[in-house]
Structures are given as structure tokens and as C-alpha cells.
Amino acid sequence: MNLTDKVVIITGASSGIGEATAKKLAKDGAKVVLMARREDKLKALKDTIENDGGTALVVSGDVIKKDDFDQVVDATVKAYGKIDGLINNAGLMPLSFVEKLKTDEWEQMVDVNIKGVLNGVAAVLPKMKTNNGGHIINISSMAAHRYFPGGAVYCATKSAVKMFSEGLRQELAPKYGINVTSIEPGAVATELTDTITDEDIKENMQDMQNMTTLEAEDIANAIHYALLQPNRVNINDIYLVPSEQK
Ligand code: NDP
């Protein structure tokens, strides 16, 4: 099996896991729709994918804004006539200890990491329900399984994504053949830690730099595996961590 002509929307496609996933899925024949705020990065990725023989559409937008998601869905349906998959990948991780009360950053995490996922589902569901099946993949985290320093709010958002995914699966898979997968990676080498403003946490993160982390491509491979399964198989969770991570 491969992903030929499957239409897949990927949020947070401008870097890291989203970018690697777009390349991987496009290489296997999927038509990928690239969403994030940095349009220049998305356009460069589209060029790379198309130079490699793939098909990509750029619709820049902010996952916090429902209207932006609706535009992505409209543009996707106009270009390709259907939506087979949604990868809710966009996320932020501005870690800090709760007592520092960085409430603006808590709000950003709740908005992007949780509401962004809900917005994505709300936007694609009416169209996906009319298909013969579909697949929604939410990028949760190892942070849904355990707390790490400064991660109380981030871990809460990723736990929410994991549990939401399970509820969504139970509601959608039996009724509409829409499968749902939660991907829960440990440390991956991406730009994610750039969102950290807290100096104490930044120092902590430097300790992690001696560890061999996962590559974004490792997560793209996990997403690809989940998407490749026949519709009768729902991969509920994929929890993958660097061999060196405790
Ligand atoms: P990156 O920082 O490389 O990617 C994050 C992506 O999210 C960017 O493309 C960014 O694009 C996009 N994004 C952020 N805010 C918004 C927004 N409001 N609207 C649209 N897009 C947005 O990090 P990763 O690739 O690592 O992160 C991807 C996902 O993986 C996240 O959900 C993260 O929590 C999760 N994860 C990462 C791990 C890691 O160790 N790296 C481990 C476990 C999970 P732009 O700025 O252009 O909008």
C-alpha cells in the first residue's frame, strides 16, 4: 500500500516534525496541504516537494483562528475535491515553573496545543464524514505520560490531546470509519525549544544536548506507518522515545 492521491492537511508544516512529515507523505504519493504562519517557509517546502516530483498546496494560517482553518479546508476541497487526513501537529513549548506565573505563555500553549487541535477537527469533520473514511493524527508527546521540570502546563496540554484523541476515535471510527491516532514522541531535534523564554529552563535544556535525540524524520516515519494501515486497523497511540532518554 502507499498514499497515492491521499489528500492530507499538515499543520505546523513550516519546520521540524511537520516539515519532515510533509516530505515523507508527499514522497509516497500523498497530496499535502501545508499550513503554518510562516508562508515563506511553506513556499520553500512546496518547491522542494515539487522538485522531488510531489504535489503540495500552501495555505498559510494560524491554528488559533477558526476562519483560517476554514480557508484551508475550502482551498483543499477546491484543489483536490476531498480530505483524507489531518495531521494536527502545530505546537509550542514555552516551559516555565508555575510559580513564575507566565500566564501569557500558558494561554498560548492552551490556544495552540489544545484549541488548535479542536479547531482542526471542527474544520475538517463535515467534509471527512462524507468520505469513505479518513484519518486524524494528533501530535501529543511523551509529556502526556510524565511530567518534566517546568512542564506542568505543557504536559497538561499534551495529556489533553492524548485523551481527546481517544474520545474522538471512539466516536468517529465505528460510525464513520475515521481513524484517530495519537503520536507521543520523546525529545526530537527541532526548533521547539526556541519558544522557551525562561532562563532557568534554558539551562536545564542544555543538559539534554548531550543526548542523542530523535530526528523529525523518525516521527514522520511513525505517522506514515499509522496512515498506511488498512481502514480496519486503528493505531491508537505511538509512543516513541530516544533510546538514551530516561
Ligand atoms: P517546531 O517548532 O519545529 O514546529 C512547530 C510548528 O508549529 C511550526 O511549524 C510552527 O509554524 C507551527 N505553529 C506554531 N504556532 C502556530 C500557530 N498558531 N498556527 C499555525 N502553526 C503554528 O517544533 P516540532 O516540530 O518539534 O513540533 C511539532 C509538534 O511536535 C508540536 O505539537 C510539539 O509539541 C510536538 N512534540 C515535539 C517534541 C520535540 O521534542 N520536538 C516532542 C514531542 C512532541 P509557524 O511558526 O510558521 O506558524
Side-chain angles (χ1 to χ4, degrees):
M1 280 186 65
N2 63 31
L3 299 178
T4 300
D5 291 334
K6 294 285 182 194
V7 177
V8 183
I9 297 170
I10 303 166
T11 72
S14 58
S15 61
I17 294 168
E19 179 182 354
T21 301
K23 286 180 184 164
K24 175 81 187 176
L25 304 188
K27 203 159 203 150
D28 200 30
K31 294 171 174 158
V32 289
V33 182
L34 313 173
M35 180 187 186
R37 292 163 305 173
R38 288 172 294 174
E39 194 170 17
D40 53 332
K41 294 244 177 199
L42 297 180
K43 283 181 172 162
L45 176 59
K46 174 183 161 74
D47 289 346
T48 305
I49 288 171
E50 290 182 347
N51 288 337
D52 219 16
T55 305
L57 176 71
V58 169
V59 194
S60 60
D62 187 328
V63 294
I64 296 176
K65 297 179 183 156
K66 285 186 189 156
D67 288 353
D68 286 10
F69 252 122
D70 288 340
Q71 278 173 24
V72 172
V73 166
D74 289 348
T76 304
V77 172
K78 193 170 170 213
Y80 306 128
K82 60 173 184 162
I83 300 169
D84 298 300
L86 167 67
I87 318 291
N88 272 316
N89 164 73
L92 300 174
M93 190 183 69
L95 302 175
S96 64
F97 291 104
V98 173
E99 65 176 306
K100 294 208 173 167
L101 299 182
K102 289 183 175 263
T103 53
D104 288 349
E105 295 187 348
W106 300 353
E107 204 168 322
Q108 276 177 4
M109 279 189 277
V110 170
D111 280 349
V112 178
N113 298 1
I114 302 179
K115 289 190 200 161
V117 170
L118 303 181
N119 286 341
V121 170
V124 302
L125 201 51
K127 187 67 202 168
M128 223 179 232
K129 274 163 68 172
T130 65
N131 285 3
N132 262 339
H135 203 145
I136 296 172
I137 297 189
N138 298 324
I139 310 302
S140 172
S141 170
M142 182 187 202
H145 295 263
R146 66 157 97 148
Y147 166 81
F148 48 86
V153 177
Y154 180 74
C155 294
T157 66
K158 291 301 180 178
S159 300
V161 170
K162 177 170 162 53
M163 200 57 211
F164 173 64
S165 303
E166 176 57 11
L168 197 62
R169 179 188 76 78
Q170 292 199 26
E171 288 189 24
L172 299 184
K175 198 167 176 186
Y176 299 109
I178 298 174
N179 288 335
V180 182
T181 303
S182 166
I183 307 275
E184 294 137 26
V188 190
T190 68
E191 296 174 12
L192 193 70
T193 49
D194 294 356
T195 58
I196 300 172
T197 61
D198 188 291
E199 292 304 325
D200 297 337
I201 301 290
K202 276 188 191 169
E203 264 177 42
N204 260 358
M205 298 309 285
Q206 271 164 6
D207 295 346
M208 297 237 327
Q209 278 173 358
N210 298 326
M211 182 178 76
T212 306
T213 60
L214 299 175
E215 300 294 331
E217 289 72 21
D218 300 326
I219 318 307
N221 288 341
I223 292 168
H224 182 241
Y225 168 77
L227 282 175
L228 270 188
Q229 301 307 308
N231 191 252
R232 67 177 183 278
V233 179
N234 192 98
I235 304 290
N236 290 17
D237 301 83
I238 300 183
Y239 183 14
L240 67 167
V241 304
S243 306
E244 290 182 16
Q245 190 167 16
K246 290 186 183 150

